[in-house]
């Protein structure tokens, strides 16, 4: 179970904590016990040392190739190494976004020893740190971790945010991500995406004997856990928008089928009782349905299954391959790919299967469409001229933009704020696929480090 | 080396060598793995076995890019498979459909299934009972040939007939 109070300006402590159920799972499957994030992160407002300012430091993230904002993330004051460790996670989140440029610590003039005292702004302005993050981390008498931070606008000399958090010590990385999200949100005006995870397929072994396992990790690659053992071929995991649950495809028992996996218990079940291969699953935005393809003979059509009633509904009925369905965030429409016109193209239909309209008309073929969480764009894989690209277009098919192109790029997934796309890239040659992320603008491409090859990434919603 | 050259000069054996080259990187279950088993001496394969099908009939057919159409050369192989299945009526088979790596994952799962289905339909049209033929698709997940040009891709676009019936 996972709780995070989103209340920013009130504090829940003492009794309210002890009345919260504390789950110490004794899961029959040991590997899952570490997944249980007993977050219990409590956020409180910190008294402002100066009147809360409206951010003077602002970033227009829609401009494309943004010059990253120089800023300073100082080591949080602490008795141990945790302060510098939290600061490092925050700085790395911000740096990887491409919007911020954390300044090297060696350049710092002032050493922050008391984060509750206003910093010497001139010392930070002189090294061009336009924003300054200070903080403290300490242990409470009850063993909980207390983390506090303040974000300063050094040129205005004003505090932009001040918050403190209480959590179990093992959640320190999550606290760092939550702080990075708060900073990102304050300075960009958009929701953050650092307190998230990625589920993907971890690949090992040579290309003709590749072993695949489902794996889950924090978006920065930390806390990686394997969810399957590698005995069965597994593909295309996707997060539930509302529960600690993943849907994916597995060849377990020699029958390729769509499965549900409970992340907390490790319990798995087949989705539906279909007479044929089911594949390409994805959740509806309310988490109540799984939409997927059912293969019958040479044709694939799109079905949904309601997870509560188990009722199945057929949405397409063609002598073609209809697959890769993805809901719009309001749940009213579905984008999918079909070769009904000869080659793979993108189509949009109503959630009941009505009004099917082709939206992609460029050169080549289009596949794996994924609707942005903001609703404004659809990301896709495009094959053209022997190259594989990741691109975006509006839901009416207009405004197509290619973000990256090469030998083989495939399978986009959106950060929950709709700003960043993760995908996998298979290079030519013997090496296997790797995960990458790229900004919606097409800038700031970053490798997402994984211990072995990686494919089929799916980004989680913001953790709760 | 001398042996290889003398084999290669014999066109009948050349076909066999080609099959071996393919099988060499195929799934283990279908692998012949010693000259004796390979039937080089004109013996070895147990009649009605997977090895018999692989070596003496041809266990796989190939497809054009993004196509599930049965090519004329494939039809010849499937005709032999149909005759073989009539000869061993207690045998059942699973047809494994595959795609090359130059496509997206979900589509290739469906394309592999479409190729397996086309192969199955052809065998049914030649008089093989539908309940003896199952299909499965592995999409692009199980390449036999690994390189980044057409020589490999064309070998990976395939449907492989795997004997499953326990039989005699």
């Amino acid at each position: 179970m996972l709780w995070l109070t989103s209340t920013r300006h009130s504090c829940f402590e003492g009794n309210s904590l002890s009345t919260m159920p504390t789950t110490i799972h004794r899961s029959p499957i040991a590997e899952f016990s570490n997944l249980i994030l007993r977050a219990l992160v409590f956020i409180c407002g910190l008294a402002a040392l100066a009147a809360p300012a409206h951010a003077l430091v602002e970033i227009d993230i829609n401009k494309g190739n943004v010059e990253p904002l120089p800023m300073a993330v100082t080591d949080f004051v602490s008795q141990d190494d945790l302060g510098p460790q939290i600061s490092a996670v925050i700085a790395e989140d911000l740096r990887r976004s491409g919007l911020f440029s954390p300044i090297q610590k060696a350049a710092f003039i002032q050493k922050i020893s008391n984060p509750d005292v206003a910093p010497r702004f001139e010392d930070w302005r002189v090294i061009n740190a336009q924003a300054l993050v200070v903080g403290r981390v300490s242990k409470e008498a009850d063993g909980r971790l207390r983390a506090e931070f303040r974000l300063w606008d050094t040129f205005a000399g004003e505090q932009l945010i001040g918050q403190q958090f209480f959590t179990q010590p093992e959640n320190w990385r999550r606290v760092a991500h939550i702080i990075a999200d708060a900073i990102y949100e304050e300075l960009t005006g958009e929701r953050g995406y650092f307190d998230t995870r990625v589920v993907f397929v971890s690949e090992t072994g040579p290309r003709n004997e590749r072993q695949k396992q489902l794996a889950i990790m924090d978006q920065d690659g930390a806390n990686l856990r394997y969810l399957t053992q590698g005995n069965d071929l597994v593909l295309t995991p996707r997060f539930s928008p509302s529960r600690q649950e993943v849907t994916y495809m597995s060849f377990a028992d020699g029958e390729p089928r769509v499965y549900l996996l409970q992340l907390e218990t490790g319990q798995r079940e087949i989705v539906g009782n279909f007479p044929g291969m089911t594949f390409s699953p994805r959740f509806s935005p309310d988490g109540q349905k799984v939409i997927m393809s059912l293969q019958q003979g040479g044709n694939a059509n799109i079905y949904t299954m309601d997870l509560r009633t188990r009722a199945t509904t057929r949405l397409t009925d063609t002598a073609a391959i209809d697959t890769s369905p993805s809901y719009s965030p309001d749940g009213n429409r579905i984008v999918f790919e079909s070769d009904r016109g000869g080659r793979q193209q993108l189509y949009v239909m109503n959630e009941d299967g009505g009004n099917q309209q082709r939206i992609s008309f460029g050169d080549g073929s289009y596949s794996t469409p994924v609707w942005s969480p903001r609703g404004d764009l659809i990301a896709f894989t495009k094959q053209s001229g022997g190259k594989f690209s990741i691109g975006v277009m509006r839901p009416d098919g207009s405004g197509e933009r290619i973000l990256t192109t090469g030998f083989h790029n495939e399978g986009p997934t959106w950060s929950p704020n709709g700003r960043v796309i993760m995908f996998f890239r298979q290079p030519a040659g013997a090496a296997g696929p790797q995960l990458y992320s790229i900004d919606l603008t097409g800038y700031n491409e970053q490798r997402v480090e994984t211990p072995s090859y990686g494919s089929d990434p799916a980004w989680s919603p913001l953790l709760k | 080396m001398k042996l290889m050259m003398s084999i290669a000069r014999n066109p009948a054996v050349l076909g066999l060598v080609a099959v071996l080259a393919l099988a060499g990187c195929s799934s283990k279950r279908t692998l012949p793995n010693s000259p004796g088993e390979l039937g080089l001496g004109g013996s070895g394969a147990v009649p009605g076995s997977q090895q018999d099908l692989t070596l003496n009939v041809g266990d796989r057919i190939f497809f054009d890019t993004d196509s599930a159409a049965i090519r004329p050369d494939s039809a010849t192989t499937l005709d032999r498979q149909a005759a073989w299945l009539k000869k061993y009526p207690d045998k059942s088979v699973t047809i494994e459909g595959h795609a090359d790596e130059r496509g997206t994952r979900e589509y290739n799962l469906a394309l592999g299934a479409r190729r397996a289905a086309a192969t199955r339909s052809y065998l049914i049209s030649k008089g093989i009972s539908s309940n003896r033929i199952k299909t499965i698709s592995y999409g692009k997940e199980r390449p036999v040939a690994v390189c980044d040009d057409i020589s490999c891709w064309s070998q990976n676009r395939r449907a492989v007939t795997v004997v499953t019936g326990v039989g005699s």
Side-chain angles (χ1 to χ4, degrees):
Chain A
M1 299 290 284
L2 196 60
W3 298 277
L4 166 64
T5 63
S6 56
T7 319
R8 269 186 148 203
H9 300 291
S10 57
C11 227
F12 298 92
E13 285 194 81
N15 289 341
S16 63
L17 176 67
S18 57
T19 58
M20 292 294 247
T22 331
T23 43
I24 299 171
H25 276 251
R26 297 195 187 281
S27 164
I29 300 171
E31 64 171 307
F32 288 91
S33 58
N34 284 333
L35 277 174
I36 298 154
L37 299 178
R38 291 160 52 235
L40 293 165
V41 179
F42 294 88
I43 306 180
C44 313
L46 273 186
L49 298 181
H54 220 59
L56 301 179
V57 186
E58 274 180 3
I59 296 180
D60 179 357
I61 60 180
N62 297 311
K63 276 201 316 201
N65 198 8
V66 177
E67 187 64 33
L69 181 85
M71 66 184 300
V73 182
T74 60
D75 286 348
F76 280 28
V77 175
S78 68
Q79 305 273 358
D80 49 23
D81 291 342
L82 201 51
Q85 286 172 343
I86 285 183
S87 301
V89 170
I90 296 169
E92 183 60 8
D93 277 349
L94 295 170
R95 185 194 67 76
R96 286 177 61 86
S97 77
L99 303 176
F100 305 95
S101 174
I103 295 166
Q104 298 234 338
K105 284 192 249 176
F108 295 176
I109 299 165
Q110 182 185 11
K111 178 173 168 55
I112 300 293
S113 52
N114 182 358
D116 296 330
V117 175
R120 292 196 304 268
F121 297 111
E122 181 53 33
D123 284 1
W124 299 101
R125 285 196 289 256
V126 101
I127 62 168
N128 197 31
Q130 302 194 25
L132 170 67
V133 180
V134 300
R136 178 192 290 119
V137 57
S138 54
K139 286 266 171 64
E140 294 289 278
D142 61 6
R144 285 182 306 160
L145 197 72
R146 172 195 183 114
E148 309 155 64
F149 85 100
R150 297 177 195 272
L151 172 67
W152 293 92
D153 182 332
T154 58
F155 283 78
E158 286 172 338
Q159 179 180 312
L160 300 175
I161 326 173
Q163 291 176 355
Q164 58 182 329
F165 305 84
F166 297 90
T167 187
Q168 299 304 314
E170 63 265 28
N171 292 324
W172 69 269
R173 292 192 72 97
R174 279 206 62 197
V175 169
H177 292 312
I178 290 167
I179 291 171
D181 278 333
I183 294 165
Y184 179 99
E185 197 166 325
E186 177 67 27
L187 296 179
T188 68
E190 303 230 3
R191 294 295 302 274
Y193 59 91
F194 304 122
D195 186 27
T196 56
R197 292 187 287 170
V198 174
V199 63
F200 67 103
V201 174
S202 173
E203 304 192 17
T204 51
R207 213 152 120 192
N208 55 345
E209 277 182 66
R210 196 56 64 71
Q211 191 185 57
K212 298 194 175 192
Q213 290 174 271
L214 292 191
I216 190 170
M217 62 185 184
D218 297 349
Q219 54 78 28
D220 62 352
N223 292 323
L224 184 134
R225 300 278 180 273
Y226 294 100
L227 303 175
T228 63
Q229 304 294 334
N231 305 324
D232 303 315
L233 175 60
V234 289
L235 301 169
T236 62
R238 277 87 191 239
F239 271 106
S240 165
S242 51
R243 285 182 299 275
Q244 291 297 310
E245 203 168 71
V246 165
T247 183
Y248 66 107
M249 186 212 192
S250 171
F251 282 65
D253 305 320
E255 295 283 342
R257 300 237 185 276
V258 168
Y259 284 73
L260 274 184
L261 172 65
Q262 310 293 332
L263 291 177
E264 292 173 19
T265 63
Q267 188 187 344
R268 64 197 72 192
E269 61 177 297
I270 295 172
V271 178
N273 180 25
F274 291 99
M277 172 173 73
T278 46
F279 62 109
S280 196
R282 206 176 277 281
F283 286 95
S284 60
D286 62 5
Q288 295 303 332
K289 279 186 271 188
V290 171
I291 189 166
M292 69 201 120
S293 285
L294 168 66
Q295 187 77 30
Q296 288 187 287
N299 307 325
N301 281 291
I302 295 173
Y303 286 72
T304 57
M305 191 184 94
D306 188 303
L307 295 174
R308 285 168 302 190
T309 66
R310 305 273 143 181
T312 58
T313 307
R314 181 179 187 141
L315 298 184
T316 70
D317 188 359
T318 59
I321 293 171
D322 293 348
T323 190
S324 300
S326 169
Y327 280 94
S328 61
D330 63 10
N332 292 333
R333 286 185 293 167
I334 296 158
V335 64
F336 63 101
E337 64 171 87
S338 175
D339 70 348
R340 62 184 64 175
R343 303 191 67 177
Q344 291 161 277
Q345 298 292 344
L346 305 188
Y347 293 75
V348 168
M349 62 183 170
N350 297 342
E351 54 95 20
D352 64 357
N355 193 27
Q356 300 182 14
Q357 304 275 348
R358 178 172 162 180
I359 62 164
S360 65
F361 292 95
D363 292 336
S365 60
Y366 295 77
S367 54
T368 76
V370 189
W371 215 303
S372 161
R374 295 205 291 201
D376 55 346
L377 292 169
I378 288 163
F380 54 80
T381 305
K382 178 176 184 173
Q383 289 168 252
S384 178
K387 303 257 189 210
F388 283 61
S389 308
I390 302 296
V392 294
M393 64 173 65
R394 293 193 198 97
D396 65 0
S398 66
E400 176 178 328
R401 273 192 303 123
I402 296 301
L403 305 183
T404 184
T405 191
F407 176 72
H408 195 123
N409 301 288
E410 182 179 340
T413 180
W414 292 91
S415 64
N417 69 352
R419 286 293 322 173
V420 183
I421 289 171
M422 200 179 288
F423 58 96
F424 70 94
R425 170 174 296 162
Q426 168 70 56
Q434 306 275 11
L435 305 186
Y436 285 82
S437 67
I438 193 166
D439 195 81
L440 186 52
T441 55
Y443 291 94
N444 192 38
E445 185 178 284
Q446 304 263 346
R447 169 89 188 280
V448 180
E449 300 282 345
T450 52
S452 50
Y453 300 140
S455 61
D456 291 5
W459 217 314
S460 80
L462 273 176
L463 298 178
K464 294 181 179 108
Chain B
M1 197 58 207
K2 217 180 244 176
L3 174 67
M4 283 303 292
M5 280 155 59
S6 68
I7 287 173
R9 269 199 296 275
N10 179 340
V13 183
L14 190 59
L16 179 59
V17 171
V19 170
L20 296 181
L22 283 174
C25 37
S26 179
S27 64
K28 285 172 188 116
R29 139 181 96 243
T30 59
L31 260 189
N33 50 24
S34 79
E37 287 177 280
L38 296 175
L40 282 176
S43 65
V46 175
S49 67
Q50 177 70 48
Q51 202 176 47
D52 181 28
L53 181 75
T54 304
L55 297 180
N56 301 320
V57 175
D59 69 339
R60 64 195 58 200
I61 61 170
F62 302 100
F63 295 88
D64 292 336
T65 300
D66 204 3
S67 167
I70 305 292
R71 304 193 311 216
D73 58 327
S74 301
T76 308
T77 304
L78 293 182
D79 289 343
R80 286 199 306 269
Q81 286 189 10
W84 188 88
L85 284 164
K86 283 175 184 165
K87 190 172 166 190
Y88 301 104
D90 58 329
K91 297 293 181 186
S92 299
V93 293
T94 296
I95 297 169
E96 300 178 347
H98 299 268
D100 66 31
E101 295 167 280
R102 302 307 285 162
T104 45
R105 192 168 326 281
E106 292 96 326
Y107 180 78
N108 277 5
L109 284 167
L111 181 58
R114 186 186 265 172
R115 286 172 174 158
T119 305
R120 181 175 185 267
S121 295
Y122 187 94
L123 290 174
I124 291 170
S125 78
K126 296 297 169 182
I128 307 303
S129 166
S130 61
N131 61 22
R132 294 176 65 195
I133 315 171
K134 286 170 57 170
T135 61
I136 190 170
S137 172
Y138 288 101
K140 63 175 173 176
E141 310 305 320
R142 292 283 182 264
V144 288
V146 288
C147 67
D148 292 313
D149 59 44
I150 199 162
S151 68
C152 285
W153 301 334
S154 57
Q155 291 178 59
N156 291 333
R157 295 190 296 266
R158 68 201 192 277
V160 181
T161 301
V162 177
V163 181
T164 54
V166 193
S168 54

